[in-house]
Amino acid sequence: MPRSAQLQSQPAVWCHDFNADLKIGSWGGEVEALIIALKKEGFKIPQKTYIFDKSVVLAVNGFQEKYRNEILIPLGLKYGTGFVGKKTRAKLDSLFGCKINPPLSTPATPSTIQLRF
């Protein structure tokens, strides 16, 4: 495979640093990023708006229980709360934070690649 084709076929990496606590009723860009992260973790959220509603709470509960050793147990909890606080944000950042998973630069196109042999 030519080098340029290899560069073009690399998937872009999505990242987001979670900086705000989130709860039912929250909305906006942080909730949008949360929904993207939860979907990447395999949770189904049927909505198309970016409001922290019951479907997001259920997905957050599942996420918290999936990573219970890092999120729930240190807080003395057995079950997810649906609240995105410090521990949940730390786990999200460990999986999707930009400091850990920096996005790739704009994919190179054949006209911008210079190969040297």
Side-chain angles (χ1 to χ4, degrees):
M1 176 182 297
R3 177 110 172 104
S4 62
Q6 279 181 326
L7 291 174
Q8 287 179 339
S9 67
Q10 292 176 350
V13 174
W14 176 83
C15 72
H16 182 80
D17 294 315
F18 291 87
N19 298 310
D21 291 347
L22 300 168
K23 61 184 179 183
I24 199 154
S26 297
W27 59 277
E30 279 290 290
V31 176
E32 179 181 3
L34 174 64
I35 291 169
I36 291 168
L38 292 169
K39 286 182 176 182
K40 287 183 174 291
E41 282 289 302
F43 295 97
K44 303 225 183 290
I45 300 170
Q47 70 193 39
K48 292 185 180 179
T49 62
Y50 299 110
I51 299 171
F52 197 124
D53 65 5
K54 186 177 179 179
S55 66
V56 179
V57 169
L58 293 173
V60 170
N61 283 343
F63 179 83
Q64 291 170 328
E65 291 175 10
K66 179 178 180 179
Y67 297 105
R68 77 176 58 249
N69 290 340
E70 297 162 77
I71 299 171
L72 300 176
I73 291 175
L75 298 172
L77 300 171
K78 291 184 180 183
Y79 305 104
T81 63
F83 174 75
V84 178
K86 185 176 180 178
K87 292 284 187 190
T88 304
R89 285 189 290 113
K91 184 59 188 176
L92 287 164
D93 284 340
S94 77
L95 295 169
F96 303 108
C98 295
K99 293 175 184 124
I100 295 168
N101 303 297
L104 297 174
S105 60
T106 305
T109 61
S111 63
T112 61
I113 298 174
Q114 294 181 2
L115 297 177
R116 296 183 185 184
F117 297 97

